[in-house]
Amino acid sequence: MPLKHAILGVLNYKEMTGYDLDRAFKSPIAFFWHAQTSQIYKELNALTKKNWVTSEMIYQSDKPNKKVFSITEEGQIELQRWLGDANIEDLMKYKNPLLIKVFFTSNVDVDKTIRLLTQYINECNKTLEEMNEGINMMPKMEEYIQRNNEAVYWGMTMTYGFMYYQNEIKWATWCIDKLKEKI
Amino acid sequence: MPLKHAILGVLNYKEMTGYDLDRAFKSPIAFFWHAQTSQIYKELNALTKKNWVTSEMIYQSDKPNKKVFSITEEGQIELQRWLGDANIEDLMKYKNPLLIKVFFTSNVDVDKTIRLLTQYINECNKTLEEMNEGINMMPKMEEYIQRNNEAVYWGMTMTYGFMYYQNEIKWATWCIDKLKEKI
DNA sequence: GGTCCCATGTAACAAGTTACATGATTCC
DNA sequence: GGAATCATGTAACTTGTTACATGGGACC
């Protein structure tokens, strides 16, 4: 369900190749959903079988040929159904790969943990910078925005990103202080 | 890897039955990692085959018999290896089931989105209350804490929870205001 | 008599990961 | 000549989800 519908969501903005989708799930969308290249092609097949998307071959002479996917009417109905059908328990389900390590850390070298948290802060800052400068996020996002309405939800997503990463940095900084006190 | 090691992490605190583990992944640990009952029993089999855990049958007359699992020396080595082997890219991988819906929402009824966000705020508040009152979190967490060292990491995890949910509420409140402006 | 807690799973299926495989064009 | 970008996948495997299946004891 998740990736299938995420792909439908992207294709609802714009028709795309598997390659384009792969890039979308590696960059602007990656901060709240990610996927492997192979999984994307697999799901595109599954979506085609369900008649939620169709594809058209485009023959190119300067570049390799490509298969452009677009959402069907049935796909749009399914997307709307999925969007409307939000169950609060599912939305609370959350997995945090950093936190699960922190929770079980006890015999690990404190310096190592500090280094990891420092690295984490750097990565968060990097993402924030990308968002701020608009080098990566903005132009890519704009590709998906055509309708005025969408800008509101796009803004909500962006704001989430800012707040989230700033909060992560605040937490990690606090942790490092605590760990340094310990030494 | 993830659930296997999370189970090892819990068993490293204390020996437990599959049922106890299931409860752990439904309540104190759930806010950063969750699992289904069936998956826990499946992973316990896999861990046994790898010799990372062993089990002992306990026959009870007042309650159903149970199988108590404990971590082996090999399991402890594996856990330490996993804890020490943190790759930053993996730690940045993150999936947010609420945000992916928000991002694709555009034709959905604004009221419906507001209701969903309100529900989300309520859930976040509920979790925060549980953490504050210590009704759910503290006593359960204390079961896992025997060594002084662990308290630091436990504190880091708890603080994360507080900061995270407060931030989520702040964001969702902001979103609701924005959506109301729109109407 | 009903519900909750304790307790353990299996089977089928869906989703996600890792590794492999190929090849053209463009730009430096 | 080499790297980057464009472009599409398959195969094997591991993880995770959903549905089903069972049953005793305690407590109200």
Side-chain angles (χ1 to χ4, degrees):
Chain A
M1 296 272 129
L3 185 59
K4 273 187 190 60
H5 291 89
I7 291 175
L8 284 181
V10 177
L11 291 180
N12 194 41
Y13 282 114
K14 200 181 191 175
E15 52 170 40
M16 278 188 195
T17 64
Y19 187 77
D20 295 331
L21 282 162
D22 186 45
R23 264 169 34 235
F25 283 100
K26 283 195 173 43
S27 186
I29 297 170
F31 92 79
F32 54 90
W33 212 269
H34 60 89
Q36 286 75 40
T37 311
S38 63
Q39 205 196 341
I40 287 169
Y41 285 105
K42 204 167 52 171
E43 296 298 349
L44 282 171
N45 277 332
L47 287 167
T48 304
K49 271 181 200 148
K50 281 178 184 283
N51 281 314
W52 293 345
V53 303
T54 32
S55 58
E56 199 198 339
M57 269 302 264
I58 305 286
Y59 298 93
Q60 301 181 116
S61 50
D62 52 333
K63 286 178 211 169
N65 300 332
K66 64 184 182 182
K67 221 163 146 184
V68 178
F69 289 86
S70 45
I71 192 165
T72 62
E73 222 175 294
E74 275 163 278
Q76 287 179 323
I77 292 166
E78 173 58 24
L79 176 63
Q80 291 308 315
R81 190 205 58 72
W82 175 74
L83 285 171
D85 175 51
N87 168 280
I88 192 74
E89 275 124 74
D90 290 341
L91 299 182
M92 302 304 289
K93 278 177 194 163
Y94 161 70
K95 288 185 175 180
N96 188 318
L98 174 61
L99 218 55
I100 191 133
K101 289 218 176 186
V102 168
F103 186 69
F104 293 122
T105 293
S106 60
N107 296 322
V108 172
D109 184 22
V110 177
D111 283 329
K112 206 167 180 172
T113 308
I114 291 177
R115 274 201 302 280
L116 181 65
L117 288 167
T118 308
Q119 242 190 91
Y120 184 64
I121 292 172
N122 289 340
E123 287 298 314
C124 290
N125 270 320
K126 237 190 259 173
T127 309
L128 281 173
E129 268 170 45
E130 284 176 5
M131 289 169 84
N132 259 320
E133 293 169 9
I135 291 169
N136 265 320
M137 303 300 278
M138 298 283 293
K140 284 179 187 166
M141 286 294 187
E142 272 161 13
E143 286 177 31
Y144 307 114
I145 296 173
Q146 281 133 6
R147 283 150 287 192
N148 171 274
N149 206 14
E150 283 151 12
V152 182
Y153 296 99
W154 176 76
M156 279 162 58
T157 312
M158 284 291 89
T159 303
Y160 184 89
F162 280 112
M163 291 175 76
Y164 177 79
Y165 286 111
Q166 278 164 14
N167 198 48
E168 296 289 299
I169 291 168
K170 217 164 86 186
W171 170 75
T173 307
W174 177 86
C175 289
I176 292 171
D177 287 347
K178 282 278 147 188
L179 290 173
K180 280 188 178 158
E181 270 174 35
K182 242 200 93 192
I183 310 174
Chain B
M1 295 274 131
L3 185 59
K4 274 190 190 61
H5 291 88
I7 290 175
L8 284 181
V10 177
L11 292 179
N12 195 41
Y13 282 115
K14 200 180 190 176
E15 52 170 40
M16 278 189 193
T17 65
Y19 187 77
D20 295 331
L21 282 162
D22 187 44
R23 266 170 33 236
F25 283 101
K26 283 196 171 42
S27 185
I29 297 170
F31 91 78
F32 53 91
W33 212 267
H34 60 89
Q36 285 75 39
T37 311
S38 63
Q39 204 195 341
I40 287 168
Y41 286 104
K42 204 165 55 170
E43 294 298 349
L44 282 170
N45 277 332
L47 287 167
T48 304
K49 271 183 198 145
K50 280 178 185 283
N51 280 315
W52 291 346
V53 303
T54 32
S55 57
E56 199 197 340
M57 269 302 264
I58 305 285
Y59 297 93
Q60 301 182 116
S61 52
D62 53 333
K63 285 179 213 171
N65 299 332
K66 64 184 182 182
K67 219 162 147 186
V68 178
F69 289 87
S70 44
I71 192 166
T72 62
E73 222 174 292
E74 274 162 277
Q76 286 178 324
I77 292 165
E78 174 57 24
L79 176 63
Q80 290 309 314
R81 188 204 60 71
W82 176 74
L83 285 171
D85 175 51
N87 168 279
I88 192 73
E89 274 124 74
D90 290 341
L91 299 182
M92 301 306 288
K93 277 175 195 165
Y94 161 71
K95 287 184 176 181
N96 188 316
L98 173 61
L99 219 54
I100 192 134
K101 288 217 175 184
V102 168
F103 186 69
F104 293 122
T105 293
S106 60
N107 296 322
V108 172
D109 184 23
V110 176
D111 283 329
K112 205 167 182 172
T113 308
I114 291 177
R115 275 200 302 280
L116 181 66
L117 288 166
T118 308
Q119 242 189 93
Y120 184 65
I121 292 172
N122 288 340
E123 288 298 314
C124 290
N125 270 320
K126 238 190 258 174
T127 310
L128 281 173
E129 268 170 45
E130 284 176 4
M131 290 169 83
N132 259 320
E133 293 168 10
I135 291 169
N136 264 320
M137 302 301 278
M138 297 282 293
K140 283 179 187 165
M141 285 294 188
E142 273 160 12
E143 285 178 31
Y144 309 114
I145 296 174
Q146 281 132 6
R147 284 151 287 191
N148 171 274
N149 204 15
E150 283 152 12
V152 182
Y153 295 99
W154 176 76
M156 279 162 57
T157 311
M158 283 292 90
T159 302
Y160 185 90
F162 280 112
M163 290 175 76
Y164 177 79
Y165 286 111
Q166 277 164 15
N167 198 49
E168 296 289 299
I169 292 168
K170 217 165 84 187
W171 170 76
T173 307
W174 178 86
C175 288
I176 291 172
D177 287 346
K178 281 278 149 188
L179 289 173
K180 279 185 179 160
E181 272 173 36
K182 243 199 93 193
I183 311 173

